[in-house]
Amino acid sequence: MALLLAGGMLLTACGSGSDGAAVDRDSSGRKAPGVSGGGGPFAPDARAPGQGSRESEADRVREGRAEPDYRSTFALDVDTASYGYARRTLGDGRLPAAEDVRPEEFVNSFRQGYERPEGNGFSVNVDGARINSAKAGGGGTGASDWSLLRVGLATKTAPPAAERPPAALTFVVDISGSMAETGRLDLVRTSLTLLADELRDDDSLALVTFSNAAETRLPMTRVKGNRNRIKDVVEEMRPAQSTNVEAGIKLGYEESVEGHREGATNRVVLLSDALANTGETEAEGILKKIESARREYGITLFGVGVGSDYGDAFMEQLTNKGDGNTTYVGDETQARKVFVDQLPAHLEIRARDAKAQVAFDRKTVKQFRLIGYENRKVADEDFRNDGVDGGEVGPGHTVTALYAVRLREGASGTVARATVRWLDPKTRKAQEETGTVTTGAIDGALWGGDNDRLQIAAVAAYFADRLRGGDLPGVPGLGELASRASGLAESTEDSAVEKLATAIGQADRLKRGAGTDDEPEPSEGEIG
């Protein structure tokens, strides 16, 4: 009996350790959205001894039963749709829903001026500044001992159009009844007409439309000699009935496989307001049906959102799990930016399954929080597991991650080591680059000085935090953020920053009078 009891206790102990902990994942290997929402603690959930339910690492840290986790791991994200849609919503006189606000997409909507690598990998740029609002003329509360840390990753700029690989693009266009609204299907037609003039002769294009059912309007066709034919097919699209995204994507992938070209960039491009109401309406269910085509042929999914009512979360889930990215187009200027100015970045892939891991030094760092990336977090132990999905990054892309960091009193030395890992798109060989930052490199004041691009990133992140009711330390009010954005727009002569200032001013007028709560004192390590 004693031996049996001892054996049972040994098995129980083995089953409750963190090394064997179960992790909630979606089919791509990422943690399911919302599991660590709000920038909260991220670690594999383990079953506590004698309990049937899971508890977070933060619970164990608060109770003194575990060391805090000083690593932060996430899949790279070059999406910008959340910011574009927020601007559209504010322009319509409405505040965006908190769940549609993703800070990383606000930040990644702006140029950061990072040093570019010479080769096809990444450069790693790490810097920051003291928030120190009390010394810099206001700017939030509770920030005297906090810093903002910026991890910036950049790929080499796109080569001339003639040097990129040919593209085989299958456009899947929503022609449901909701697309009849001005700024939806009419804007899609404009976008594709612009694109037809930008593609090279050796590129190929297919067109699928969907409403309650899907239809192939144009099989994979070489652009050379067919530009007018392509434009005619685009012009003939008219809004019809309901929104069966499942049917459209399924047929789109079938056409992409049928017209697959070796050595080309094979991509499905979904243009929709993403308001699915017929057939399968869950992103995971839709992508399961085209899983083999997606994996076997390496076909990626690029989402372009349109419309004043837009299924932002649904589109983001589709493209995240479809190894692609998403953007939002609200007018012809934005359409030209996406389909003309940024075309190479949206066509070619420089890095597959790219992930970043930031390891903080517990001797200098007391607390930290990753701002955003809740839907992109990866288990720390999966950083070098190349079977776990990451993000896809094209030429000329930059990815910025901001952290609120609280240093220990009198701290000196290394603050963090940032590493990016990715797979070469052609060879699938894993590569890594690393950068570090010390306390001296983040000791300057955030506001003022010559760090304009860091300040722009801070304004964008803080704006998102205000919109979704966050509690980051030292976040200025919307009025001050608008003023800072206007000043930065003037000093940088950047029209994108001027539009940011306008959007913040619109939000301030809609939300004026909202106060801020005193922030709780969190435990050490990653904070919630």
Side-chain angles (χ1 to χ4, degrees):
M1 180 65 72
L3 289 172
L4 286 171
L5 287 172
M9 292 174 65
L10 179 61
L11 287 172
T12 301
C14 291
S16 63
S18 61
D19 288 344
V23 180
D24 289 331
R25 304 186 194 279
D26 59 23
S27 61
S28 68
R30 293 198 192 108
K31 256 202 161 186
V35 171
S36 54
F42 179 76
D45 293 330
R47 293 185 186 276
Q51 293 184 4
S53 60
R54 291 174 178 169
E55 62 174 358
S56 71
E57 178 175 339
D59 294 332
R60 299 195 301 279
V61 170
R62 279 192 289 270
E63 295 172 15
R65 295 188 285 109
E67 286 291 319
D69 184 4
Y70 275 75
R71 289 179 297 168
S72 171
T73 310
F74 58 94
L76 268 54
D77 187 2
V78 296
D79 293 352
T80 59
S82 177
Y83 174 66
Y85 184 46
R87 277 187 54 211
R88 167 66 185 266
T89 304
L90 290 165
D92 289 343
R94 299 178 288 121
L95 288 167
E99 60 269 21
D100 290 337
V101 176
R102 294 184 291 280
E104 69 275 17
E105 297 187 22
F106 279 54
V107 173
N108 286 328
S109 295
F110 298 92
R111 291 188 295 109
Q112 292 295 307
Y114 299 134
E115 181 181 345
R116 301 280 180 175
E118 293 183 3
N120 288 329
F122 286 89
S123 64
V124 181
N125 308 264
V126 194
D127 62 1
R130 290 271 187 172
I131 295 174
N132 239 357
S133 57
K135 297 181 181 179
T141 60
S144 60
D145 55 350
W146 285 85
S147 297
L148 193 69
L149 184 74
R150 177 175 62 167
V151 177
L153 310 172
T155 56
K156 187 178 178 181
T157 53
E163 296 180 14
R164 68 165 171 82
L169 308 176
T170 302
F171 288 88
V172 178
V173 179
D174 184 349
I175 59 167
S176 61
S178 61
M179 292 291 286
E181 176 192 290
T182 300
R184 299 196 188 197
L185 188 56
D186 59 325
L187 186 56
V188 169
R189 285 196 294 265
T190 298
S191 300
L192 293 183
T193 301
L194 287 170
L195 181 71
D197 288 327
E198 290 298 313
L199 291 176
R200 295 192 322 225
D201 284 350
D202 62 341
D203 291 328
S204 301
L205 184 149
L207 181 64
V208 169
T209 60
F210 68 91
S211 54
N212 60 314
E215 177 186 356
T216 299
R217 299 292 186 98
L218 184 71
M220 193 65 72
T221 303
R222 289 294 175 103
V223 172
K224 183 178 181 179
N226 290 297
R227 293 183 196 274
N228 289 334
R229 179 187 173 196
I230 292 169
K231 292 179 182 179
D232 288 344
V233 174
V234 167
E235 184 56 36
E236 290 168 0
M237 295 188 300
R238 292 292 181 271
Q241 302 173 32
S242 54
T243 311
N244 192 337
V245 176
E246 174 197 2
I249 290 181
K250 187 171 180 293
L251 183 56
Y253 268 84
E254 290 173 0
E255 290 293 338
S256 186
V257 169
E258 181 71 22
H260 184 270
R261 292 174 59 185
E262 289 293 334
T265 300
N266 295 273
R267 173 159 277 202
V268 171
V269 184
L270 173 63
L271 299 102
S272 173
D273 58 16
L275 301 175
N277 56 23
T278 303
E280 175 64 69
T281 58
E282 296 295 327
E284 188 167 348
I286 291 172
L287 290 173
K288 275 183 179 178
K289 297 183 178 180
I290 48 89
E291 179 75 13
S292 60
R294 185 167 65 90
R295 293 293 186 187
E296 182 178 350
Y297 292 91
I299 299 168
T300 56
L301 179 63
F302 175 42
V304 181
V306 296
S308 56
D309 292 318
Y310 164 57
D312 174 68
F314 177 63
M315 181 73 90
E316 191 227 5
Q317 290 166 14
L318 276 173
T319 56
N320 279 359
K321 296 175 184 178
D323 298 328
N325 57 292
T326 183
T327 190
Y328 179 86
V329 171
D331 54 38
E332 187 171 339
T333 300
Q334 291 174 323
R336 183 171 292 278
K337 181 179 179 181
V338 170
F339 290 103
V340 178
D341 302 338
Q342 299 176 342
L343 183 63
H346 292 310
L347 291 186
E348 192 179 347
I349 293 177
R350 282 282 171 82
R352 282 189 178 273
D353 291 326
K355 310 182 193 85
Q357 184 170 88
V358 182
F360 291 90
D361 191 323
R362 65 179 68 238
K363 295 191 298 293
T364 57
V365 175
K366 185 176 183 181
Q367 296 164 274
F368 66 92
R369 177 191 287 177
L370 173 60
I371 302 175
Y373 287 94
E374 288 87 6
N375 293 351
R376 309 287 283 179
K377 289 189 176 180
V378 174
D380 293 335
E381 64 269 25
D382 284 337
F383 176 58
R384 291 186 172 89
N385 180 353
D386 297 325
V388 172
D389 197 18
E392 277 57 49
V393 183
H397 272 139
T398 61
V399 180
T400 300
L402 296 178
Y403 288 86
V405 177
R406 193 178 195 182
L407 298 180
R408 298 188 185 278
E409 187 174 353
S412 178
T414 300
V415 175
R417 178 184 179 91
T419 304
V420 58
R421 180 182 178 88
W422 72 97
L423 302 182
D424 182 277
K426 295 179 180 177
T427 67
R428 295 284 178 165
K429 181 180 179 182
Q431 301 180 51
E432 292 187 6
E433 287 290 342
T434 297
T436 60
V437 65
T438 63
T439 51
I442 63 171
D443 201 43
L446 172 61
W447 303 118
D450 57 0
N451 58 347
D452 285 349
R453 290 294 161 184
L454 176 60
Q455 292 180 66
I456 291 168
V459 169
Y462 289 159
F463 178 34
D465 192 66
R466 282 288 183 187
L467 287 176
R468 67 177 188 170
D471 59 352
L472 285 173
V475 177
L478 288 171
E480 182 179 338
L481 283 174
S483 176
R484 291 195 181 280
S486 292
L488 289 164
E490 184 175 348
S491 64
T492 60
E493 298 183 347
D494 189 335
S495 61
V497 183
E498 184 58 46
K499 292 173 182 176
L500 173 63
T502 299
I504 299 172
Q506 292 167 332
D508 186 31
R509 288 188 289 274
L510 290 168
K511 206 173 182 178
R512 188 171 293 141
T516 58
D517 298 325
D518 292 335
E519 56 189 80
E521 186 71 16
S523 60
E524 293 188 8
E526 189 169 0
I527 62 175

